[in-house]
Amino acid sequence: KAAPPPAPPPPVIDLPLSAHIPENYVDDVHARLALYQRIAGISSAEGIAEMQAELADRFGKPPRSVENLLYVALVRSLARAARVESVKTDEHMFHIRVRGGVAPDLRARVEALKMDGVLVGPNQVRLDRVGMGSRWMQLLARVLRAMGGGDA
């Protein structure tokens, strides 16, 4: 009996965010490392919400860099569900590269969002970073959710 094909590598996420757990939030290095490992293993929005609640309960309100770390984990989980190879950023755009190319159903789901500044190509979906302004985090998650077949 043949072994199942290996799971694809996790998506590469490169976003313009400072995402880390500062020492002044969790001072014990072992606790910090354990939290990084747990956050890296989260695979759902529910898991992110649970971690957010746990952090607030154990250490107080998370600083922005920790919120950003949780957001990156959410993007990674949404990207994995959407068969995304990478989410990269340049000065003007977010580039969402799709493993195996953009299938017609994926194109239809993204186009159904009717969002300005979203360009669907044969291998990637690009988002106008400049045009999205301060709402880019919310809109990027929305596009990835739709790409994965979830409700936007």
Side-chain angles (χ1 to χ4, degrees), residues 5 10 21 28 44 48 78 86 101 120 135 137:
I21 303 170
D28 181 73
S44 68
I48 301 289
L78 293 171
S86 63
V120 184
R135 296 173 48 233
M137 291 171 77

Side-chain angles (χ1 to χ4, degrees), residues 1-18:
K1 184 171 155 179
V12 174
I13 309 297
D14 169 29
L15 296 173
L17 292 173
S18 172

Side-chain angles (χ1 to χ4, degrees), residues 47-134:
I48 301 289
E50 288 166 15
M51 177 57 76
Q52 202 163 17
E54 179 185 329
L55 289 170
D57 189 48
R58 286 177 62 189
F59 305 105
K61 181 177 174 6
R64 170 63 68 197
S65 62
V66 174
E67 295 283 348
N68 289 346
L69 185 65
L70 293 171
Y71 175 78
V72 170
L74 173 67
V75 165
R76 185 172 286 114
S77 119
L78 293 171
R80 186 179 290 126
R83 294 188 354 264
V84 166
E85 196 171 287
S86 63
V87 178
K88 299 206 171 159
T89 310
D90 66 26
E91 273 180 51
H92 306 288
M93 303 289 253
F94 293 104
H95 302 267
I96 305 170
R97 184 162 289 287
V98 181
R99 185 171 281 112
V102 175
D105 61 323
L106 189 148
R107 174 184 292 275
R109 286 196 302 271
V110 172
E111 289 175 348
L113 294 174
K114 297 192 178 350
M115 285 171 54
D116 288 336
V118 177
L119 305 163
V120 184
N123 297 305
Q124 67 180 341
V125 176
R126 291 180 307 173
L127 297 126
D128 176 5
R129 175 180 170 186
V130 178
M132 291 181 169
S134 61

